[in-house]
Amino acid sequence: MDYITLDYSNAAPFFGNFEMGFLQDIINSIHTKLLKDSDDEKGSAGWVQLPEQYNNKEYEKIKLEAASVRENSDVLLVIGIGGSYLGTRAGIELLNHSFQNCLTQETRLAPQVFYVGTNLSSTYISDLIDLIKDKDFSINVVSKSGSSLETAIGFRIFKKLLIEKYGEEEAKSRIYLTTDNQKGTLNAAAMEEGYKTFGIPENIGGRFSVLTSVGLFPMAVSGICIDQVLEGANTAKMELDVRDIYRNPAYQYAAVRNILYNKGKTIEILASFEPKFHYFSEWWKQLFAESEGKDGLGIFPTAAMYSTDLHSIGQYIQEGRRDLFETIIQIEKSEKELAMETEVKNHDGLNYLSGKTISFINEKALQGTMEAHMKGDVPNLVIKVPEICPFSFGYLVYFFQFSCAISSHILGVNPFNQPGVEAYKKSMYSLLGQPQKLSESIVNPKAITY
Ligand code: PA5
């Protein structure tokens, strides 16, 4: 049995079983092509084989440098945007304490992790400076191209803060650059200044890069066992290699999404009853939106966090336009347990729940929501995950990446480009009077030493 299961019984009434069967051969050939393309070092499918082919030397370096940051820093500042940020934060928030950054150092036993480069708010950046200026910190700048303006500005500001605090030399030892193996402005900077670098393989794009040094280094700094993350991803790779659509949950997920899309269900809500999934949902949104939303096509991916959203957009989901379907991530075993106790006075009338755990009540909320939404004509799929742990994170990342690539190809779009993202950049650069676009083609292989 697979580690995760996909239950689409609440979506099946919306289509005929034969419609899945029709997609078997198409998906099979997409799978074959992805495997073939993964060998192409100049292609975009390097992530397919990544979990088992990870560069050992680089992997050991990640662990070593993470240990050194854990030793000398109270804070790790991750500077990146989009695929160079979301997957990292997804892992760190899912796998640590819900209030990790608020815990004391003694309880946390790891640096706090903060993020910058995700916006151009001077208030946000100034507040962050206030927060970390008196703490020992290191920075990890993550940019495959090296040319994202938000990231570059963040780097400039916090590099200056590091230099003011530690002087040029020590500042350099606290700067880690994660960038393309060969190209980009960050390689040139690393070469000249002697910063430590981690490489992103050329054939792995931003939103498919969380299982490279992009995500692994900051996750290791925050204390997450990255061996288990990769083991989960590798297990997913093996389990999802089954060529039968009725036995492969990734095939099924990709197929059902497209079948529903063709029936007018053009919006997908990724829902979870576990708040720690918030940034995982953000990563998932980006993965599917940037991969599928092009050429006038694509399911619009959005996310909901329950119960809170049942008391806000829940009304719309239940009774608004009927162009939605829902994918719910269900965690079968909660990390922690709390039970309802009996109160003598029972003012709130809740004694009927005495002895029940909060997770049991949460599960009933999930079942009730599915039932209600189904009655409201919202098909739902459930992805059942045994528990939240590094292994399941790695597994889910691989599952969604693989499903997303298949789903995009069924839709008929190239999952690995994002031409639309350039549009705002072009206008912004021109409004800012940039003399010429930051070079993306500085080839400097010597900057990477492992
Ligand atoms: O998925 C992608 O390719 C994008 O979201 C990029 O990750 C994002 O635009 C950041 O790019 P870069 O890493 O080059 O700064």
Side-chain angles (χ1 to χ4, degrees):
M1 205 178 118
D2 291 337
Y3 180 71
I4 64 164
T5 49
L6 175 76
D7 178 358
Y8 61 93
S9 55
N10 277 344
F14 292 80
F15 58 87
N17 201 22
F18 64 93
E19 293 182 74
M20 288 274 276
F22 280 164
L23 287 168
Q24 168 76 67
D25 290 345
I26 297 169
I27 295 181
N28 237 317
S29 34
I30 294 170
H31 190 167
T32 304
K33 186 164 164 32
L34 282 173
L35 286 173
K36 188 166 165 281
D37 290 353
S38 68
D39 288 333
D40 179 358
E41 285 180 10
K42 302 257 172 249
S44 307
W47 54 272
V48 176
Q49 310 281 4
L50 178 78
E52 60 180 349
Q53 290 183 358
Y54 206 85
N55 176 337
N56 265 336
K57 227 169 153 196
E58 166 110 345
Y59 192 59
E60 289 313 313
K61 184 84 179 178
I62 288 173
K63 287 184 173 174
L64 207 78
E65 295 297 348
S68 135
V69 174
R70 286 166 65 83
E71 189 69 27
N72 70 9
S73 302
D74 299 324
V75 168
L76 173 71
L77 190 57
V78 177
I79 310 182
I81 194 165
S84 289
Y85 150 73
L86 285 163
T88 303
R89 189 158 187 180
I92 288 177
E93 306 236 336
L94 183 67
L95 301 173
N96 285 309
H97 191 283
S98 301
F99 304 98
Q100 179 81 349
N101 280 342
C102 304
L103 300 176
T104 61
Q105 169 80 24
E106 293 71 43
T107 320
R108 217 174 42 239
L109 296 172
Q112 293 170 301
V113 182
F114 295 110
Y115 306 87
V116 71
T118 60
N119 58 61
L120 291 165
S121 158
S122 47
T123 306
Y124 178 93
I125 298 170
S126 306
D127 288 351
L128 190 57
I129 293 173
D130 285 346
L131 185 71
I132 72 168
K133 67 175 188 286
D134 296 326
K135 301 187 184 210
D136 279 315
F137 71 99
S138 297
I139 63 179
N140 180 204
V141 185
V142 189
S143 178
K144 188 161 190 221
S145 62
S147 66
S148 293
L149 185 64
E150 291 82 349
T151 306
I153 289 177
F155 183 24
R156 226 179 223 228
I157 292 172
F158 286 92
K159 180 177 60 186
K160 182 166 175 274
L161 196 62
L162 272 181
I163 294 171
E164 281 166 6
K165 199 173 161 74
Y166 299 103
E168 289 270 355
E169 280 318 301
E170 188 177 342
K172 280 180 191 171
S173 72
R174 290 175 173 272
I175 295 175
Y176 295 86
L177 305 185
T178 306
T179 191
D180 189 281
N181 268 337
Q182 299 200 336
K183 294 182 290 188
T185 43
L186 288 182
N187 270 323
M191 184 64 181
E192 211 168 306
E193 305 293 335
Y195 300 138
K196 294 172 203 156
T197 56
F198 298 111
I200 309 172
E202 188 175 346
N203 60 358
I204 300 182
R207 56 194 173 278
F208 290 85
S209 72
V210 58
L211 301 176
T212 70
S213 52
V214 168
L216 295 180
F217 175 62
M219 281 196 264
V221 172
S222 85
I224 293 165
C225 176
I226 57 173
D227 288 352
Q228 286 173 23
V229 170
L230 286 188
E231 199 188 319
N234 206 16
T235 305
K237 183 188 170 297
M238 289 183 307
E239 290 186 356
L240 303 175
D241 206 21
V242 173
R243 295 302 185 117
D244 178 353
I245 198 164
Y246 295 104
R247 287 175 51 224
N248 186 328
Y251 279 25
Q252 288 164 6
Y253 180 52
V256 173
R257 296 178 85 248
N258 277 276
I259 294 169
L260 293 173
Y261 175 68
N262 286 324
K263 293 185 187 302
K265 303 291 186 188
T266 56
I267 298 172
E268 178 180 12
I269 303 166
L270 185 76
S272 167
F273 285 74
E274 171 53 65
K276 283 171 137 198
F277 264 98
H278 175 75
Y279 271 94
F280 189 90
S281 305
E282 292 298 306
W283 168 79
W284 171 91
K285 262 161 58 180
Q286 188 228 352
L287 177 69
F288 280 90
E290 277 196 355
S291 301
E292 292 194 323
K294 52 197 72 154
D295 306 337
L297 299 167
I299 294 167
F300 181 80
T302 185
M305 200 48 67
Y306 297 153
S307 294
T308 182
D309 280 327
L310 292 171
H311 292 254
S312 66
I313 57 170
Q315 169 60 37
Y316 187 102
I317 296 170
Q318 193 66 43
E319 295 181 348
R321 267 175 71 98
R322 300 299 71 194
D323 49 7
L324 313 167
F325 69 98
E326 203 171 27
T327 299
I328 299 173
I329 298 188
Q330 179 179 11
I331 304 301
E332 293 181 301
K333 185 174 173 297
S334 176
E335 286 170 272
K336 295 179 184 170
E337 265 320 344
L338 272 179
M340 292 291 287
E341 293 176 5
T342 306
E343 269 189 13
V344 178
K345 290 190 179 156
N346 195 24
H347 288 310
D348 53 14
L350 290 184
N351 275 354
Y352 74 101
L353 293 174
S354 291
K356 303 270 188 306
T357 62
I358 305 287
S359 328
F360 172 85
I361 300 167
N362 203 19
E363 195 186 311
K364 296 302 148 205
L366 181 149
Q367 288 164 0
T369 304
M370 275 165 45
E371 210 176 288
H373 289 179
M374 180 66 183
K375 282 188 191 142
D377 219 10
V378 178
N380 51 63
L381 296 91
V382 184
I383 295 173
K384 294 186 183 167
V385 182
E387 59 182 338
I388 293 179
C389 61
F391 182 95
S392 60
F393 174 74
Y395 195 108
L396 281 174
V397 165
Y398 194 90
F399 170 83
F400 281 120
Q401 288 182 167
F402 187 52
S403 313
C404 177
I406 295 176
S407 180
S408 307
H409 281 301
I410 299 175
L411 191 67
V413 299
N414 174 2
F416 305 122
N417 64 7
Q418 55 284 330
V421 179
E422 295 310 309
Y424 100 91
K425 288 191 195 170
K426 230 172 135 187
S427 305
M428 174 177 71
Y429 289 140
S430 139
L431 291 168
L432 288 169
Q434 187 196 36
Q436 60 181 58
K437 197 171 175 292
L438 284 172
S439 170
E440 285 179 25
S441 58
I442 299 168
V443 179
N444 198 346
K446 285 195 207 130
I448 302 297
T449 49
Y450 47 85

